[in-house]
Amino acid sequence: MLKQDKRLILRTKIKTFIPSTTAKDKIFRFMRKIYHLASCSTCQRIIKELGGGQGFELQNIKEELITEDQLDFMKEAAGSYEALFSRRAMKYKSMGLKDKNLKEKDYKNLILEEYTLLKRPVIVIDDEVFVGNAKSVVEAAKAKLLG
């Protein structure tokens, strides 16, 4: 049986995780998940716009921290850890990060250490990731859901 056929067989409505030998090779497919903060009114508004979260697994990143594997998947889909990094977070300013020359490794480690540094919400629909609350991002996520 081909590897691709196995993925289709393992597909579930909400989430399928196919483990492999390395974290980089781990593949998340047929997943609908929103990484958010329950206390963030913008995140809650966007979740409502997307049907109240119906059909999505919701992960409140304050209560259930993001794992390295989850962040690596987001990075693969978004293109970089920097694209996932929030410069609006209060911690960004209080940690003096504005004046530092950060590299990809730094962005990754900072997001894993401090959940508020993840740009949110992060909306995962199948193998696409939509990061942030810009109107164009939310509209693209809606279009993916309808498409």
Side-chain angles (χ1 to χ4, degrees):
M1 183 178 295
L2 295 173
K3 197 176 201 179
Q4 187 175 13
D5 294 334
K6 288 180 184 178
R7 289 183 190 144
L8 292 175
I9 291 169
L10 293 173
R11 184 176 71 172
T12 63
K13 186 174 166 187
I14 306 264
K15 171 177 139 179
T16 296
F17 174 68
I18 303 166
S20 65
T21 55
T22 65
K24 187 175 182 181
D25 294 333
K26 289 185 180 180
I27 301 170
F28 291 73
R29 294 278 186 225
F30 310 108
M31 180 157 100
R32 295 202 171 179
K33 187 165 188 171
I34 301 175
Y35 298 89
H36 69 102
L37 267 179
S39 59
C40 173
S41 60
T42 302
C43 288
Q44 298 312 309
R45 176 185 51 81
I46 292 169
I47 290 170
K48 282 184 183 179
E49 286 183 40
L50 296 173
Q54 188 172 7
F56 283 91
E57 179 181 347
L58 301 176
Q59 181 173 333
N60 179 1
I61 61 173
K62 183 176 182 179
E63 294 177 3
E64 184 182 345
L65 298 178
I66 292 173
T67 67
E68 187 171 358
D69 286 343
Q70 289 171 327
L71 188 59
D72 288 342
F73 166 73
M74 288 183 226
K75 182 257 185 189
E76 289 300 317
S80 69
Y81 293 111
E82 184 177 6
L84 299 165
F85 190 81
S86 174
R87 288 182 170 80
R88 292 183 174 185
M90 291 171 58
K91 286 279 186 172
Y92 176 72
K93 294 171 186 151
S94 70
M95 293 171 76
L97 299 174
K98 181 179 180 182
D99 302 321
K100 295 184 180 178
N101 185 16
L102 300 174
K103 302 196 179 344
E104 276 295 289
K105 183 179 177 182
D106 299 323
Y107 291 118
K108 177 181 180 178
N109 291 334
L110 286 164
I111 292 169
L112 289 172
E113 289 171 15
E114 178 55 51
Y115 67 90
T116 61
L117 293 174
L118 178 70
K119 192 182 290 185
R120 52 191 190 275
V122 176
I123 304 162
V124 179
I125 303 172
D126 301 329
D127 58 351
E128 288 188 57
V129 173
F130 303 88
V131 180
N133 58 30
K135 186 174 184 175
S136 60
V137 172
V138 176
E139 292 301 320
K142 286 180 188 178
K144 174 71 175 179
L145 281 174
L146 297 173

